[in-house]
Each structure stands twice: as C-alpha cells, then as structure tokens.
Amino acid sequence: MRTLSLKNKETLTGLAYAALPLAGFSLFYIIPFGNMLWRTVSRGGIFVGFAQYTAVLQSDAFRLAAWNTFRFIGLGLPMLLLLALCTALLLNTRLKYKDGFRAAFVLPLVLPAASVIMVFRVLFDHGGFINYVLDGLGLDTVNFFNSGRMFWIILFLYLWKNTGLAIILMLGGLLQIPAEYYEAARVDGASAFLRLRKITLPLMAPTFIFVAILSIVGAFKSFREAFALGGSHPHDSIYMIQHFMQNNFERLNFPRLSVAAVLTFIVIFACVLVMFAWPEEREGE
Amino acid sequence: MRQYAKYLFLSVLAFAALFPLFYTFVNSFMGAGEFNRYYGALSVGITRHNPLRIIPDWITLEGYREVFISRPHYLMRFWSSMLISGSILVGQLVVAVLGGYAFSRFRFPGCNVLFFLIVLIMMMPLQVTLVPNFIIIEALNLNGTYAALILPGIFSAFGVFLMRQVMQAVPLSLFESAKLDGAKSFAALWYVCLPNCKHGLAALAVLNFADSWNMVEQPLTFLHSALRYPLSVYLINFGSVPPEVVFAGGLLSVLPVMMLFLWFKDEIAFGIEYSVVR
C-alpha cells in the first residue's frame, strides 16, 4: 500500500514538472498541427478527401522543390557523415590542441548567416575572387550564382555549417565505446581497419542515425543561405521545399503550404521511427 | 609523417571554419572608398574581377562610426534582436530544465510516448512547424508582434531533449543521498542536479541563443513590416545594407554570440557530446 502511494506521488511530481513544457508543446505545436492536418482534408468542416494532396503532388513547382531537396540531402548527407566521421576519428586519437580544434569546428554553427554570405559573395560572385584567379590564368570566368553551380555552393555552405556539430556528436559516440573492446581486439591481432569495421561502425549506428536526422534538419536550414544568395526565386537547381513553402506563405496559400508541411512531416517521421527502432534491434543481437 | 598529415587535415578544416569570421573582422576596418574600389563590382554586378583583400590598405573605424553613431537603426535592430533572443533564452532554460528533470528522473503514464513526441517536434524542420505556429499565432491574435517569434521559440523541443540526456548522466547516488537527507524534489533539482549539469546548460544556452539570434524564416513569416525585422534578417538582405557597413554591421551581429561562445567554449562541446547518450 505504501509503495503504491509512493509511486503515485512520484507520478504526480513528474507530471507537475512536465506540465509547463507539455502545455507549451501542445499549444504551439501538437494541437495546431492536428488542426492543420484536418484542414488539408476538409472544407468547411466536412471531410473532402485527398484532392489537395494530389494537386500539390502534381504541381511542377512542388516536384522541382521535392526533387532538389532530395538531391541536396542525398548528396550532402553522405558527404557530411563521412567527413565528420573521419574528423571525429582523428580527434579521438592522441592530439595536441584537441579542445581548440573542437571549438573551431563548432563555431560555424553559431555564426549568423549574414557574416558568412558576404565572404561567399566576395569569393564566388561574378566579379569575385575566384573569377579573378580564373581570369588571371587566362581561363573563362564562371557565373556561379545564376547557374546550376549555385547548388554546389549551397551544398558547400551546408557542409561548412553543419559538419562541426556532427563531428562533436560523433566524438561523443566514439567516447562511449568501451576501451576494453579495442584492447581485446588488439590482443586478438585485429588490424586497425578491422577494428573500425567490426567495433566502431556497428556501435556507432545509433549515433549515425541521430546525427543523420539532425543533419537533415540542418539541410532544411540551408534556406537561409540560399535565400541570402539567391532571393526567393533562385536558380532552378536550388529551388527547394523551403522556397516552395516560404513563397506560398507570402501568397498566403495555406492549403498548398499545409500539404507540403504534412508531406515533409511524414518523411521525417519515418526517419525518426527508424532511429527509435534501431538500437533495440542491436541489443537483441 | 602520419602525424603531420593528421594535423594538416585538421588545420585545413579549422582554417575553413574560422576564415569567414577572420575575414569579416579584418575587413570591418576598411573605409568606404576602399570598399567601393574592391567590392564595388559585387553590388552592381558588373564583370570586373576583384583580388581578395585580406588586409585593408588603410585601417579606419569609419564602418564602426556608421554603425554605432550615424545610423541608429542598427543599434535599434540590435536591441530588438537582443530582446527576442534574450526572452527566448530565459524561457527556454526554464522549460528545458523542468521538462528534462521530469523525463529523466520520473516515470509517469505515457512518458515514453510523450518523449517520443518531443523528439519528433525537435526533428521537424521549421518548414513543418511554421504553419502550426502560424495557426496558433493567428488564433491568439499575436501576428505581427515579437511575441509571435518568442513564444514558439521558448517551447523549442531541443532544450528538453538535451537536458534530459544531460540529467540522466548525473549519478543516481547523488539523488538518493539527497533524498535521505530529506530533500524535496525541487531542492534535489536545484542543489544536486543543476550544479552537475552546468556544461549542458551552457551548451543549451549558446546553441539556443545562436539559433534565435540567427532566425530568418520566422520574422519573414510573422513580421509584416521590414522596419521591425531583427538584425539577422536585415543583414542578409544586401540590397538594403549600405556596402561600407556590411562588415562592421556583420561583426556587430556576431558579437553577442561570439562572447557567449568564447565564455562557454569548453563546456559546449562537452555538453553536446552528452546528447548522444541514450
């Protein structure tokens, strides 16, 4: 009886602490999301089916935006994960100035977009430094901003900004792998590559997925840089879901906007489900 | 040999990470005349190619005079940004500590489902959450006010997630001895838990402040007058920024975040590392 009341008390205390955050999340995110979801399939309070979804899925602007976003993440994410993993592995060795390197890598994450954009303009603008070098070498100058090359510039900016966080997170994952595993493997004569493949990579799987999802969120934030360099209607190669939505916001086109939000939600939701399902599977092995 | 390759690789990355800040800093001492000579081609878009000016020929505080004295609207926007980001930071710390404590130290019905929801909100890009935010901001009649930026920011889910991870790493024995000493749950939070979570709080403070300090999408969505835009939006709109103050204004916008960053630089990485503990 006593344990039961203790348990009840703990439940109540826990709920009391959670109350304010949960109320806020419900009010600003969960409830209006439900409202938005309902609006995408109803008109005047009556269920009308998925006509709005088919309309958005068939529109050229959305298809272009979705394809570009997919291409951007599909190319950028593996690059980012690989670069971050290599760097984290290096940082996890005996190293001087380790803290300095770590701090330097986090810095891009907190810098305002504005301060970076100017540097990129100075470098890549038609009248910028890279063209100055090309011109000096007698080569043709390149129009970076109003061409398909814009895609690669935004991709570079994405890597520049987000790799640091991934490095730190992966370093955190690496530090959690018990040193005994490596020692045991070394005693058994496993090579460095084999240790990486058999110990580090499998044990890092949850970290990878976590980093991947945060990096996908970061990819959506590349809108800021794309917006700063290309405005609201940039070159076709970099017109992404974010542009699609921001432009529909400006036109107050809520049905299209909400449908795009729900579709994006579904994709991210699937990723999060995978992340939550993965570690359990590993423990069962 | 391999040692050198390692340091070379890391140094190249560190250089790339630091270069824009360094460049902004050095060029903020460039005068308008020199600026127009070197960067003039950028603003008008003519094809005249520019060498990279790292160090200005003539060091001057002209840009800073413009930003701090001649054009008061910079400072005005600076303080708007401060107001917005500062309010979000304070609110977010309270929400994150309460939520993190609840989800790391207590079991209650539905706590796993609720935590899953929080992770889900955290993972959603702004493009998904802006529409729900817009719906509720309209309903509360806050459209066009700074509250429309602040309130959803306070309830950003990342803080609760990070604090939960960090608090879970605080040894259970500390809480048990506090309980034996007769400490109530809030006393345990205040005197036992928080002092052991300083690195997490620091990481959260810096990341959260930087995030709201740099916000672009929310002001574009909720503020309907360009006059009210905070510094972050104003500065990425190059058409509106006079060239001679681009770098000085840029540095002004980096300053608060940089100060926080340098102040907590050792704690940040350590605090973020914790967030992968599951």
Side-chain angles (χ1 to χ4, degrees):
Chain A
M1 204 53 211
R2 191 158 173 264
T3 50
L4 193 72
S5 72
L6 250 179
K7 208 159 176 101
N8 275 338
K9 192 160 170 271
E10 198 195 307
T11 302
L12 282 179
T13 327
L15 277 172
Y17 281 109
L20 176 71
L22 289 179
F25 294 140
S26 311
L27 182 64
F28 286 100
Y29 297 95
I30 301 168
I31 294 169
F33 185 84
N35 184 298
M36 175 183 82
L37 203 61
W38 172 241
R39 285 188 200 193
T40 59
V41 292
S42 67
R43 185 161 296 161
I46 300 153
F47 181 77
V48 292
F50 298 95
Q52 287 180 7
Y53 284 83
T54 38
V56 168
L57 285 170
Q58 278 167 357
S59 88
D60 288 338
F62 181 80
R63 284 186 174 187
L64 177 69
W67 163 242
N68 280 336
T69 309
F70 180 74
R71 189 165 80 113
F72 189 84
I73 294 173
L75 281 166
L77 191 61
M79 286 174 165
L80 185 140
L81 290 177
L82 193 67
L83 183 63
L85 179 66
C86 293
T87 316
L89 285 171
L90 282 182
L91 276 179
N92 200 27
T93 56
R94 279 156 68 90
L95 197 70
K96 277 185 203 161
Y97 317 117
K98 191 185 278 189
D99 291 342
F101 280 123
R102 280 199 309 189
F105 296 149
V106 187
L107 184 72
L109 189 74
V110 299
L111 281 187
S115 67
V116 188
I117 293 306
M118 190 59 199
V119 178
F120 270 74
R121 289 193 61 195
V122 169
L123 291 176
F124 290 103
D125 197 277
H126 205 188
F129 176 65
I130 292 191
N131 276 328
Y132 170 77
V133 173
L134 290 175
D135 200 37
L137 294 171
L139 298 168
D140 286 340
T141 58
V142 175
N143 186 345
F144 287 102
F145 287 164
N146 295 310
S147 71
R149 294 186 186 86
M150 178 78 164
F151 178 84
W152 299 101
I153 292 183
I154 302 295
L155 194 73
F156 182 78
L157 261 166
Y158 164 67
L159 291 178
W160 181 82
K161 203 170 179 65
N162 292 279
T163 308
L165 181 67
I167 292 171
I168 304 297
L169 288 169
M170 286 198 186
L171 199 56
L174 286 174
L175 290 174
Q176 280 172 51
I177 301 176
E180 299 93 70
Y181 289 10
Y182 290 107
E183 270 152 36
R186 210 169 284 150
V187 169
D188 291 345
S191 69
F193 179 71
L194 201 65
R195 291 199 298 269
L196 178 72
R197 213 170 60 96
K198 292 286 181 192
I199 301 175
T200 312
L201 294 184
L203 287 174
M204 286 282 283
T207 312
F208 276 133
I209 299 170
F210 180 67
V211 173
I213 296 184
L214 279 190
S215 305
I216 292 173
V217 177
F220 280 92
K221 281 189 184 157
S222 293
F223 170 75
R224 292 173 187 177
E225 284 83 18
F227 177 78
L229 286 173
S232 54
H233 292 280
H235 186 264
D236 269 2
S237 69
I238 200 68
Y239 183 84
M240 297 206 278
I241 294 281
Q242 302 91 291
H243 293 93
F244 179 84
M245 299 193 69
Q246 209 70 42
N247 291 345
N248 276 304
F249 243 119
E250 268 153 37
R251 277 181 244 124
L252 297 175
N253 195 341
F254 284 105
R256 275 166 78 88
L257 198 62
S258 311
V259 169
V262 173
L263 291 173
T264 313
F265 171 83
I266 291 169
V267 174
I268 306 256
F269 183 75
C271 296
V272 176
L273 271 187
V274 170
M275 183 183 92
F276 266 75
W278 201 288
E280 263 93 58
E281 199 184 307
R282 284 227 63 82
E283 275 160 18
E285 270 178 29
Chain B
M1 189 56 216
R2 284 179 65 173
Q3 282 295 314
Y4 284 120
K6 186 164 85 178
Y7 282 103
L8 185 69
F9 178 76
L10 292 174
S11 304
V12 168
L13 280 191
F15 174 78
L18 297 175
F19 180 73
L21 185 66
F22 167 76
Y23 190 80
T24 306
F25 176 74
V26 175
N27 275 255
S28 65
F29 297 104
M30 188 182 273
E34 203 179 329
F35 189 97
N36 283 327
R37 190 144 28 92
Y38 292 125
Y39 300 131
L42 297 184
S43 31
V44 284
I46 52 168
T47 11
R48 192 191 68 201
H49 309 303
N50 290 282
L52 199 61
R53 294 313 294 182
I54 304 267
I55 313 276
D57 298 335
W58 187 253
I59 308 262
T60 161
L61 293 175
E62 215 176 299
Y64 289 97
R65 197 191 62 211
E66 290 290 317
V67 167
F68 284 105
I69 298 162
S70 312
R71 302 171 193 264
H73 65 266
Y74 269 94
L75 286 180
M76 230 177 62
R77 286 179 205 278
F78 178 87
W79 290 115
S80 308
S81 284
M82 265 310 198
L83 173 76
I84 297 168
S85 309
S87 316
I88 292 178
L89 178 61
V90 173
Q92 162 81 150
L93 283 176
V94 172
V95 167
V97 166
L98 290 176
Y101 193 49
F103 283 103
S104 64
R105 292 288 152 205
F106 299 94
R107 315 238 81 220
F108 45 88
C111 61
N112 287 333
V113 178
L114 289 170
F115 188 68
F116 177 76
L117 271 180
I118 287 175
V119 175
L120 204 56
I121 298 175
M122 170 178 104
M123 298 298 188
M124 285 304 146
L126 272 171
Q127 282 73 27
V128 173
T129 55
L130 268 180
V131 186
N133 282 344
F134 192 86
I135 292 174
I136 192 70
I137 291 298
E138 283 275 89
L140 296 174
N141 211 4
L142 292 173
N143 207 341
T145 67
Y146 287 152
L149 312 178
I150 294 170
L151 288 173
I154 286 178
F155 293 101
S156 124
F158 176 71
V160 173
F161 175 80
L162 183 69
M163 287 322 291
R164 181 230 187 213
Q165 304 298 78
V166 171
M167 286 177 179
Q168 250 176 359
V170 176
L172 201 65
S173 55
L174 288 180
F175 288 95
E176 272 156 8
S177 52
K179 205 176 223 172
L180 285 179
D181 291 345
K184 292 273 192 307
S185 65
F186 188 77
L189 169 66
W190 194 254
Y191 294 109
V192 177
C193 192
L194 287 184
N196 283 293
C197 296
K198 279 184 186 145
H199 54 282
L201 288 167
L204 176 61
V206 177
L207 290 179
N208 177 267
F209 188 85
D211 203 44
S212 45
W213 184 261
N214 300 337
M215 64 161 73
V216 172
E217 294 87 344
Q218 300 94 317
L220 285 179
T221 308
F222 293 117
L223 300 180
H224 309 296
S225 135
L227 278 175
R228 312 204 62 209
Y229 282 161
L231 209 55
S232 50
V233 183
Y234 180 70
L235 280 176
I236 66 167
N237 245 328
F238 282 100
S240 59
V241 183
E244 62 270 28
V245 296
V246 162
F247 288 111
L251 203 72
L252 176 72
S253 78
V254 176
L255 220 56
V257 177
M258 271 317 290
M259 277 161 58
L260 264 182
F261 180 80
L262 290 175
W263 188 264
F264 290 122
K265 109 177 142 3
D266 298 327
E267 285 90 347
I268 300 169
F270 191 48
I272 298 175
E273 275 169 17
Y274 262 96
S275 63
V276 285
V277 188
R278 294 174 53 88

